[in-house]
Amino acid sequence: MTDKTENLTPMALAAQNKCFGCGPANPIGLRLEFLVAEDASVVCFVTVPDTFEGHPGYLHGGIIATLLDEGMHKAVRARGLTSMTGRMEIDYLRPAPSGARLRLEGRIVSSEGRKHWTEAKLLNSKGIVFAESKGLFIAMRVR
């Protein structure tokens, strides 16, 4: 599916947010913009420039990890919860090109109390998956 055929709703973020992944107030961050799908999963269409490369022409593995972490975190955030990464596991399946439009997807697999088990994947418009992850996110207690 593409963003033109899906029913996706923009996810709002605070304007002063300085998060490296999604913060609009971070001048050197990725400034990811997430959309929420009807099934409560999240989607982000991103083109990461070559300034975030590892090997020439391909994204650095740490940037891929950041993208996947953000996708899983935003899946929890889509439920109105603030969470932090408790555990994360990544499978790097093939090199991800820099400068190409990619799709990041995140979703919650299951939840128990403050614990949320999540998944994310980074793929292209042809459905080729470059990396996928599983994670445990812990919702923060309200003070």
Side-chain angles (χ1 to χ4, degrees):
M1 286 186 157
T2 66
D3 53 334
K4 294 178 183 173
T5 60
E6 295 175 274
N7 187 11
L8 301 171
T9 304
M11 179 181 277
L13 292 174
Q16 69 276 18
N17 181 355
K18 290 186 179 181
C19 171
F20 174 73
C22 68
N26 188 333
I28 61 168
L30 297 173
R31 297 184 181 187
L32 302 173
E33 294 180 11
F34 283 85
L35 306 161
V36 182
E38 291 177 338
D39 65 358
S41 65
V42 295
V43 175
C44 174
F45 296 97
V46 60
T47 303
V48 182
D50 61 4
T51 53
F52 295 104
E53 287 183 344
H55 186 68
Y58 298 98
L59 296 180
H60 187 282
I63 294 300
I64 293 170
T66 298
L67 293 169
L68 295 168
D69 182 68
E70 283 290 323
M72 293 186 293
H73 174 264
K74 291 302 181 288
V76 177
R77 188 75 165 147
R79 292 193 179 174
L81 301 169
T82 300
S83 66
M84 302 209 53
T85 311
R87 184 177 333 126
M88 185 171 167
E89 177 182 319
I90 303 170
D91 289 319
Y92 294 93
L93 305 173
R94 56 185 48 85
S98 59
R101 187 167 194 252
L102 301 174
R103 178 183 173 112
L104 172 61
E105 299 176 352
R107 68 185 189 96
I108 294 178
V109 177
S110 65
S111 298
E112 182 180 310
R114 294 175 44 227
K115 296 180 181 181
H116 303 278
W117 288 268
T118 58
E119 294 178 344
K121 61 183 173 179
L122 183 66
L123 59 155
N124 67 12
S125 62
K126 296 178 182 176
I128 296 171
V129 179
F130 299 105
E132 55 192 14
S133 62
K134 294 179 181 180
L136 170 63
F137 282 73
I138 310 298
M140 298 173 67
R141 289 190 171 102
V142 179
R143 293 183 181 195

